[in-house]
């Protein structure tokens, strides 16, 4: 950060410009995914309740400052500075503009194109930072998973007790669906949403702006700026949680909130399960070990995250724990629907979630061995007798005034 955080300075972020035509879909209409135009510029210690299965058993950025002053060695008094007479000097300037335009188009194109590995597309900006793909298949999986978590949370967008927020930050926005929902619920709030991948839609509420940025680099927003900082399912993306929380604390307004909505990628089967889910648990363990070897912790332990938030300076840490079923085995209809959606997300995402980490599995697994394991996982999770679930946790905390 610059020594004066409130001074205008060029931002590292790449902003995704949202076109706002005079006539177009209303805010109530669903957002459609199009290629964006990119311009380079007290805790609860009790475990979550066991899910009842009885029924189912029966069934903002600053602009770069442009220096317009005359530098040393400038024009002599006799030089003609009349703009109208500069036509004969424009060739070098035209060349510079052409070069800049070419460079901008090249960088923009590379970010939008991503890079391909194992038949899947991954983000190009800060390549390798995020472990999972960002292609159309993964985008659909993310939206399905979002719907499953939305049901698990009882339809709540956030849990922090917000009062008329003016500026919010969504870290790791993905397809942007949460940012859009939040912006519609709080139309007076400007929502800045950042991600490594430019996969967000263009038809969005006017109070949403998407930026391509790496939240683990130095933040360039003003200090004490955001009323609310939101992170969701970021376990596979963050390598340095303490530093991320310190930056969030610095840029959150006094009295503002940070909220994490995290999924623990170590799945479990609950006591009602008659299928032990051996292959599923083996896959979770191998994924966790492999991620650890590249510096990523896929576990989301509530007490650990709470301690890190307190160490960063936040107070009044609150924890809510949930279980999101994988499969339609729960008794409650909403939880059955959540489980069906989560099952679809897992089945569709197994290969994409595994391919990049395969080379870090124990004992050098081959692709054929992985395919056999994933086939067993799919069979287990489709079984009515396998009551698997993801632990899901929501934590929020306040910056003291």
């Amino acid at each position: 950060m610059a020594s004066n955080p409130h001074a205008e300075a060029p931002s590292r972020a790449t902003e995704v410009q949202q076109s706002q035509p005079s006539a177009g879909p209303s805010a109530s209409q669903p957002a459609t995914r199009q290629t964006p135009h990119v311009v380079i510029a007290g805790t609860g210690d009790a475990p979550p309740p066991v899910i009842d299965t009885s029924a189912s058993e029966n069934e903002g950025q600053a602009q770069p400052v442009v220096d317009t002053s005359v530098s040393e060695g400038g024009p002599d008094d006799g030089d003609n500075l009349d703009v109208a007479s500069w036509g004969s000097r424009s060739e070098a300037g035209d060349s510079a503009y052409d070069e800049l335009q070419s460079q901008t188009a090249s960088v923009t194109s590379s970010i939008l194109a991503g890079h391909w590995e194992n038949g899947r597309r991954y983000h190009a900006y800060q390549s390798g930072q995020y472990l999972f793909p960002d292609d159309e298949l993964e985008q659909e999986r993310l939206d399905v998973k979002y719907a499953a978590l939305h049901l698990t949370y009882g339809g709540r967008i956030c849990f922090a007790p917000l009062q008329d927020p003016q500026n919010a930050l969504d870290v790791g926005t993905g397809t942007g669906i949460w940012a859009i929902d939040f912006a519609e619920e709080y139309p007076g709030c400007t929502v800045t949403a950042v991600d490594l991948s430019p996969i967000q839609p263009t038809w969005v509420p006017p109070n949403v702006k998407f930026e391509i940025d790496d939240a683990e680099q130095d933040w360039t927003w003003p200090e004490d700026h955001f009323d609310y900082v939101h992170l969701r399912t970021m376990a596979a993306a963050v390598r340095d949680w303490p530093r991320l929380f310190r930056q969030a604390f610095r840029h959150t307004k006094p009295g503002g909130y940070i909220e994490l909505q995290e999924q623990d990628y170590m799945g479990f089967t609950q006591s009602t399960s008659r299928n032990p889910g051996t292959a599923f648990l083996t896959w979770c363990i191998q994924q966790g070990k492999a991620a650890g070897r590249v510096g990523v912790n896929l576990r989301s332990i509530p007490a650990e995250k709470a301690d890190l938030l307190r160490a960063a300076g936040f107070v009044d840490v609150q924890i809510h724990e949930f279980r999101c079923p994988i499969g339609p085995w729960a008794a409650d209809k909403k939880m059955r629907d959540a489980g069906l959606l989560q099952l679809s997300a897992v089945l569709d995402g197994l290969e994409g979630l595994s391919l990049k980490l395969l080379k870090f599995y124990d004992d050098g697994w081959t692709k054929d061995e992985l395919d056999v394991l994933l086939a067993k996982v799919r069979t287990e999770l489709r079984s009515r007798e396998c009551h698997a679930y993801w632990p899901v946790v929501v934590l929020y905390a306040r910056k003291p005034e």
Side-chain angles (χ1 to χ4, degrees), residues 87-377:
S88 61
R89 303 182 182 183
S90 65
E91 290 185 4
D94 289 345
S95 176
Y97 278 113
D98 290 343
E99 181 179 355
L100 176 61
Q101 185 177 21
S102 176
Q103 291 175 350
T104 300
S106 176
V107 176
T108 301
S109 176
S110 67
I111 290 177
L112 290 175
H115 81 271
W116 292 82
E117 184 177 333
N118 298 312
R120 301 298 299 270
R121 191 190 69 198
Y122 294 82
H123 67 94
Y125 180 68
Q126 299 289 79
S127 180
Q129 184 74 8
Y130 183 59
L131 300 177
F132 302 148
D134 70 353
D135 52 24
E136 289 292 333
L137 288 176
E138 177 64 7
Q139 292 171 44
E140 291 174 6
R141 186 191 74 85
L142 290 174
D143 287 347
V144 171
K145 185 178 74 170
Y146 175 85
L149 291 176
H150 192 64
L151 288 171
T152 303
Y153 295 150
R156 297 181 69 169
I157 298 295
C158 63
F159 288 75
L162 303 179
Q163 296 182 357
D164 191 27
Q166 300 300 302
N167 292 284
L169 175 65
D170 184 24
V171 178
T173 192
T175 64
I177 189 170
W178 181 91
I180 293 170
D181 284 350
F182 183 86
E184 290 178 340
E185 186 161 321
Y186 295 92
C189 180
T190 297
V191 182
T192 302
V194 301
D195 200 273
L196 295 170
S197 296
I199 58 174
Q200 299 76 34
T202 54
W203 290 105
V204 298
N207 55 325
V208 175
K209 64 175 181 177
F210 295 117
E211 297 175 359
I212 309 307
D213 203 357
D214 182 357
E216 291 207 84
Q217 300 295 315
D218 290 341
W219 290 17
T220 56
W221 301 288
E223 294 186 6
D224 300 330
H225 179 66
F226 294 108
D227 301 280
Y228 180 60
V229 175
H230 169 266
L231 303 91
R232 173 180 283 222
T233 58
M234 290 288 289
V238 177
R239 286 166 169 77
D240 192 345
W241 285 98
R243 183 174 187 271
L244 183 65
F245 288 159
R246 289 195 299 270
Q247 293 210 84
F249 184 84
R250 187 179 307 123
H251 294 269
T252 299
K253 286 182 182 177
Y257 287 88
I258 184 173
E259 181 167 331
L260 285 70
Q261 300 180 6
E262 287 299 317
Q263 173 182 308
D264 189 339
Y265 283 90
M266 181 64 230
F268 293 89
T269 57
Q270 67 174 27
S271 58
T272 56
S273 182
R274 292 193 291 267
N275 182 322
T278 304
F280 171 62
L281 299 179
T282 298
W283 176 72
C284 290
I285 292 170
Q286 287 296 330
Q287 285 284 104
K289 288 182 177 180
R293 292 181 180 119
V294 295
V296 173
N297 183 4
L298 294 181
R299 301 299 309 273
S300 293
I301 309 300
E304 292 179 359
K305 289 293 191 294
D307 288 343
L308 292 176
L309 287 170
R310 295 188 187 98
F314 290 101
V315 298
D316 299 337
V317 181
Q318 302 295 317
I319 300 176
H320 301 273
E321 296 184 63
F322 304 85
R323 292 182 178 182
C324 184
I326 307 174
W329 49 263
D332 179 78
K333 184 181 184 305
K334 287 185 178 179
M335 295 307 291
R336 284 202 304 275
D337 291 343
L340 188 61
L341 289 167
Q342 189 63 247
L343 176 63
S344 175
V346 173
L347 295 180
D348 290 344
L350 275 175
E351 185 179 57
L353 298 176
S354 308
L355 286 174
K356 202 173 186 67
L357 289 174
L358 172 61
K359 55 189 171 185
F360 300 106
Y361 274 29
D362 287 341
D363 304 322
W365 283 47
T366 66
K367 177 63 164 57
D368 288 342
E369 289 173 325
L370 175 65
D371 290 341
V372 171
L373 175 64
L374 298 186
K376 293 179 179 179
V377 173

Side-chain angles (χ1 to χ4, degrees), residues 64-104:
V65 177
V66 179
D67 185 5
T68 59
S69 61
V70 177
S71 61
E72 291 183 328
D76 296 331
D77 292 339
D79 284 350
N80 184 357
L81 299 182
D82 183 2
V83 175
S85 68
W86 286 5
S88 61
R89 303 182 182 183
S90 65
E91 290 185 4
D94 289 345
S95 176
Y97 278 113
D98 290 343
E99 181 179 355
L100 176 61
Q101 185 177 21
S102 176
Q103 291 175 350
T104 300

